[in-house]
Amino acid sequence: MTTPTITSLAFLTPGNFADDDPYPGLEETLRLFEYGERLGYDGAWIRQRHLEHGVGSAAVFLAAAGQRTERIELGTAVIPIGYESPFRLAEDLALADVLSRGRLQVGFSTGMPHADLLGDLVYDGDWRGFDLSYGRITRVVQNLRGDYLGGPDTVIHSPGNVQRPRLQPHNPGLARRIWYGGGSLRSVRWAAGQGLGLLGGNIVTGEDTDDFTTAQLNLLSEYRRSLPDGRAPRVAVGRVIVPLDSADAATRARYRAYAASRHERTLAPQGPRRVLFAPDVVGTAEQILEELTADPVLAEVSELRLELPYEFHREEYEQILHDVRHLVAPELGWRPEAAQAGAGRAPEATRRGPEVRTGRAG
């Protein structure tokens, strides 16, 4: 079996906050982005969530994160396209990208979570007849490419300026940094046909198999087979990885209880769409490496996205990021390019005793 070789390491956080006082949680998430950059992570990603204790506008959050960081890629996984105006969203993403000096990575999905509650609030009229699927994502990407509107003689007049109209600010590079969160064969074929990167997570649709790993391998094969000639694939796979090494006893127990509460869903396909879930990877660094090096999906990719659990505290997230960065990722071939001196210490709240390291690479 091929040992994974990871060249890009990122993390994805849910951006939790308290219902009655959201600012502290959002501030802690921004600090987590700063901490990840100090550790040398290549990317920091935020989930976009509606009606929940999470970031409802990834573009706004990443604009703020861009002012707090200097190097790290800033991603969103994923924006449900059904609630978005393709042009207005493209404007917001373009502005955030320019403010961050071209560091945005934008992930999309189709669907509308909580549509029964939100659909009528977002749209005037019957939205059920609109194209809220792939075509809407295509329109966002087209807008980001910055084609001029109107004919060659069309201009707009503004104070002190006459110009041809197009989306502003314009950064042509952003249209090449678009991803799709694909969990079905149809979705990965579409993403490949559009030349988008593929985000694979711990949830897929069971098509002709009850096994998560088989299903995800099939998705990777279909995506690569469907890419246009000459288009290099870019695939990032996410896994919930929770190391115990520098956590105290109470925190270890909490981590294990979290994984146990989610284990039953991994035993069989769920619901009419036969959704398959990957188990959370929880244990010591050595145990985690045993699981990851035996994962044939990771052997097929070079970009790993660490998916942080919901409703944990910042010090717990920092401990997880620390242990993955020092004890797990280097054993998978990853090397930080810009880790700052002094960033290697575990957070004081979860560090107990000498640091535990593993010399095992497989």
Side-chain angles (χ1 to χ4, degrees), residues 259-276:
S261 71
R262 290 154 48 93
H263 182 67
E264 185 175 357
R265 68 179 190 167
T266 70
L267 302 179
Q270 304 293 305
R273 295 184 60 223
R274 294 175 43 78
V275 175
L276 303 174

Side-chain angles (χ1 to χ4, degrees), residues 27-74:
E27 170 64 21
E28 289 196 343
T29 302
L30 289 169
R31 291 183 183 181
L32 192 67
F33 274 49
E34 294 176 302
Y35 182 72
E37 180 169 81
R38 292 197 302 272
L39 284 177
Y41 276 77
D42 299 294
W45 294 59
I46 190 75
R47 295 185 184 274
Q48 179 161 310
R49 302 156 62 189
H50 297 291
L51 302 183
E52 304 173 22
H53 297 153
V55 170
S57 173
V60 172
F61 179 86
L62 294 179
Q67 305 309 296
R68 302 277 288 264
T69 58
E70 297 180 355
R71 173 196 59 83
I72 198 167
E73 290 183 341
L74 304 171

Side-chain angles (χ1 to χ4, degrees), residues 200-221:
N202 61 347
I203 303 174
V204 299
T205 301
E207 298 173 82
D208 300 323
T209 181
D210 291 349
D211 179 67
F212 174 89
T213 299
T214 301
Q216 195 159 60
L217 285 172
N218 289 342
L219 295 180
L220 295 184
S221 296

Side-chain angles (χ1 to χ4, degrees), residues 36-346:
E37 180 169 81
R38 292 197 302 272
L39 284 177
Y41 276 77
D42 299 294
W45 294 59
I46 190 75
R47 295 185 184 274
Q48 179 161 310
R49 302 156 62 189
H50 297 291
L51 302 183
E52 304 173 22
H53 297 153
V55 170
S57 173
V60 172
F61 179 86
L62 294 179
Q67 305 309 296
R68 302 277 288 264
T69 58
E70 297 180 355
R71 173 196 59 83
I72 198 167
E73 290 183 341
L74 304 171
T76 171
V78 285
I79 298 175
I81 196 60
Y83 292 122
E84 304 294 341
S85 159
F87 188 83
R88 278 291 301 115
L89 176 61
E91 282 187 317
D92 289 347
L93 293 171
L95 179 57
D97 188 53
V98 170
L99 289 173
S100 71
R101 305 287 182 91
R103 288 186 283 140
L104 255 61
Q105 304 283 333
V106 183
F108 290 108
S109 71
T110 57
M112 295 173 62
H114 318 301
D116 55 329
L117 297 173
L118 272 180
D120 291 336
L121 298 179
V122 173
Y123 293 102
D124 295 324
D126 188 1
W127 50 271
R128 291 166 183 82
F130 297 167
D131 175 11
L132 303 176
S133 186
Y134 302 134
R136 209 167 188 82
I137 300 173
T138 301
R139 289 166 58 193
V140 176
V141 177
Q142 290 172 341
N143 289 326
L144 290 174
R145 292 191 177 118
D147 294 339
Y148 290 108
L149 306 179
D153 297 327
T154 302
V155 296
I156 58 173
H157 297 262
S158 58
N161 191 21
V162 178
Q163 66 189 75
R164 294 187 66 188
R166 67 176 177 186
L167 181 140
Q168 296 287 357
H170 175 54
N171 181 4
L174 180 55
R176 297 190 291 271
R177 287 179 265 119
I178 306 299
W179 302 74
Y180 186 78
S184 70
L185 292 171
R186 176 171 176 258
S187 67
V188 301
R189 281 194 292 267
W190 177 83
Q194 299 297 311
L196 307 184
L198 178 64
L199 295 173
N202 61 347
I203 303 174
V204 299
T205 301
E207 298 173 82
D208 300 323
T209 181
D210 291 349
D211 179 67
F212 174 89
T213 299
T214 301
Q216 195 159 60
L217 285 172
N218 289 342
L219 295 180
L220 295 184
S221 296
E222 186 68 17
Y223 172 75
R224 287 170 174 148
R225 184 164 49 246
S226 302
L227 282 169
D229 291 341
R231 173 77 66 172
R234 188 177 183 189
V235 181
V237 167
R239 291 289 185 266
V240 177
I241 302 171
V242 184
L244 305 174
D245 298 83
S246 66
D248 61 24
T251 305
R252 291 184 177 198
R254 170 170 161 76
Y255 291 167
R256 290 192 174 104
Y258 176 84
S261 71
R262 290 154 48 93
H263 182 67
E264 185 175 357
R265 68 179 190 167
T266 70
L267 302 179
Q270 304 293 305
R273 295 184 60 223
R274 294 175 43 78
V275 175
L276 303 174
F277 293 88
D280 299 336
V281 185
V282 179
T284 64
E286 186 171 7
Q287 292 168 335
I288 287 171
L289 284 165
E290 287 180 358
E291 291 196 43
L292 295 184
T293 54
D295 186 340
V297 174
L298 291 190
E300 294 288 327
V301 302
S302 61
E303 300 195 37
L304 176 62
R305 195 176 68 253
L306 172 61
E307 299 188 357
L308 296 173
Y310 287 83
E311 304 300 335
F312 277 24
H313 303 297
R314 179 167 64 96
E315 62 269 18
E316 294 169 333
Y317 289 142
E318 289 185 352
Q319 179 261 316
I320 292 169
L321 293 183
H322 168 272
D323 284 5
V324 169
R325 179 258 186 264
H326 285 283
L327 307 179
V328 176
E331 301 295 330
L332 299 175
W334 176 78
R335 296 292 180 267
E337 294 184 358
Q340 297 183 16
R345 298 186 66 194

